[in-house]
Structure formats: C-alpha cells, structure tokens
Amino acid sequence: MEITILGIESSCDDTSAAVVRDGRLLSNVIASQAVHAEYGGVVPELASRAHGQNIVPVVDLALKRAGITPAEVDGIAVTRGPGLLGSLLVGVSFAKGFSIAQNTPMMEVNHLQGHVLAHFVTLPEQPDRPKPRFPFLCLLVSGGNSQIVLVRDYLDMEIVGSTIDDAAGEAFDKCAKIMGLSYPGGPLIDRLARSEGADPHAFKFAKPSVPGFDYSFSGLKTSFLYFLRERVAEDPEFIDKHQADLCASLQATIVEILMNKLIRAAKQYDIREIAVAGGVSANSGLRDAIRAAGQRFGWETYIPPVELTTDNAAMIAITGYYKYLREEFAGLDMTPVAKIGAL
C-alpha cells in the first residue's frame, strides 16, 4: 500500500508545500519572499502576511505537479515549530482545515528534525543517492541553529551540542551586514570567498572557547566588528579593498569552529557516519571541509543536495511519513510554538 504525504512548511519566510509517496519526492514548491531584503532581515509581520497570500496557490501547485488530488493524500504533515509564531500559524491553520475537509490525519513536525531527515528524501533524479545508516551524527547548521545531533533512528534524536548564543548562519548574515552586503549575507560571503585570489588566511579572527560540544558565535561577530572599525578608521576604503579576503577568512574561521566540535564528537561517540544539514550546509567551504574530514578520518559523509538544505516542505513531508507509519498523529488542538526543546 502506497502512502502519500502532503508537507507544509511556513516557519520563516518561505512558503513551501511538497508531496512525498513512500519516501519518493513527487513535488516540492517554494515561494520565497523578496520583501525582506530591503530591511536587512526577516520582518515577522510581513512574513506572516505573505504566507497567508501564498499558502493556497503553493499547495495547489504542489498537488498538480505531483499529479494527485486532495482526496489522494493519506496524511498532512506541518511544521509546528520552531519559527516565527505568525508564520507557523498560517501553515498550522491550513493543515487543520485540510485535515478536517479531507478527513485526513495530521502530523506535527519539528522543523529541525525535518532538516536531519531531509537525507532520507528520495529524489527522482537521484534515486540511488546514499542515505545515512544509524546511528549517525548530523551537524545541523542554519540561520538560527547550530547543533550536533546524535541520530539513533528516524524519530530518535539527541542534541549533544548546541549554540549558546548566535548560530553560524546568524554570524554569516550579521558580519555580512557589517561589511555592507545585502541580506541574506551568507550566500554572498560564500561567493566572494570563492572568488579568484581570495585568501582564507589573510586575517585572523577570534575563536570562542566553549566547553563540551556547544557552539558560540557571538564573540566572533563582535571581534569582527571591532576589527573592521579599527581598520576602516585607518583606511576608509579598507572593506572595499579587502572584501574577498575578509569573506574568505571569515568563512574559514566559522567552518573551523564547526568542524572542530564535530570531529571531537565523532571521536567520543565512535561514529563514522557523518551528515550535515540545514541552510548553512549549502556553504561550499563547509561542504569541502566535511568531505576532507571524511577522507582523513575514514568517515562515510552525507551532504544533502542544495535544494534540500534551505527551508522546504520535502523534509517536513518525509518526517510526517515516518510519523504516519508509527501512527503518531496530532490532534486539532495542536498549536504552533516559537521554540521547541528536544528533538
């Protein structure tokens, strides 16, 4: 018996709907919101309004591309959190309405858990893409989260390390803003860091000292700010002259911080199945570092396709699929939450 799941993702500024059948991706539609660029970051009220405008046409297109009708959906999975409360409310409300109208069970999904399980989505163009074997460690890095997750099974995860302040994605975006780059800054820093002649060793920035496997990027952001203030005071054109080197050095520092803790965790837990997930996993420097560490330490490494790194409903649908198999259904009294503790 085939199981078809409709996934809904609306945690931040992307409205997405996807259809998964027995783990195979049939469609994945994403509507992004360009309105936030002029504000240098996501404006929650604008985001929730845009979700309200996008949710119906996005779901309609996802169903049409999958070649199915609403009646053929066996279950609907929706992001409950973490995220922007107003944005989450749009997706959850739609899922409840769909569940009632189609008499279809609903599954609540932890957005972060979805990022990890994106590795188990079977893409039509890559049907034989290797999937992590349990147990594995996943470095989950996004705009608001930097975590090392021990994954024992599809729905059995433990956070063994997490950021105590800013996440890696926030560090990229905030440092980009300091340099006068537009939002989102992470992809721009990556592009400039890869430009010809960019030197990742040109400048040295502070690296935090945090116990265990936890991360901290607030100090790096602050030291980067004071470093530029001093240099610009001496030479007002310093940033323009050294932009590529600044980006390359900053990226190399963030990647080094991420990788040092991941390597230590892999040794302590004696695990060689290593994955990376989340929006920052699209960063070329981090992807290269994961591959290099894999060769050095004998890891089996798993790097998601770029289209599955950012917020998308495919990862929500696949998580809902595994919840459906276990009959872990949500009631209509389910409410969105801005923060979720454990995975």
Side-chain angles (χ1 to χ4, degrees), residues 20 26 28 51 59 126 138 160 173 176 233 242 266 281 298 311 321:
V20 166
L26 302 185
N28 189 27
H51 283 303
V59 171
Q126 299 179 39
C138 183
V160 299
D173 287 341
H242 303 280
S281 67
D311 295 348
Y321 169 71

Side-chain angles (χ1 to χ4, degrees), residues 128-193:
D128 300 320
R129 180 169 61 93
K131 298 176 174 59
R133 293 172 294 183
F134 303 112
F136 67 91
L137 284 178
C138 183
L139 175 62
L140 173 54
V141 276
S142 65
N145 298 277
S146 294
Q147 300 176 339
I148 299 176
V149 183
L150 174 59
V151 187
R152 300 184 181 91
D153 201 352
Y154 297 111
L155 302 176
D156 183 3
M157 305 181 190
E158 177 187 355
I159 299 172
V160 299
S162 185
T163 182
I164 62 173
D165 43 54
D166 285 352
E170 289 176 301
F172 274 121
D173 287 341
K174 290 177 179 179
C175 289
K177 189 173 183 178
I178 292 170
M179 288 188 287
L181 300 177
S182 60
Y183 176 86
L188 289 176
I189 287 178
D190 188 20
R191 179 170 59 82
L192 289 166

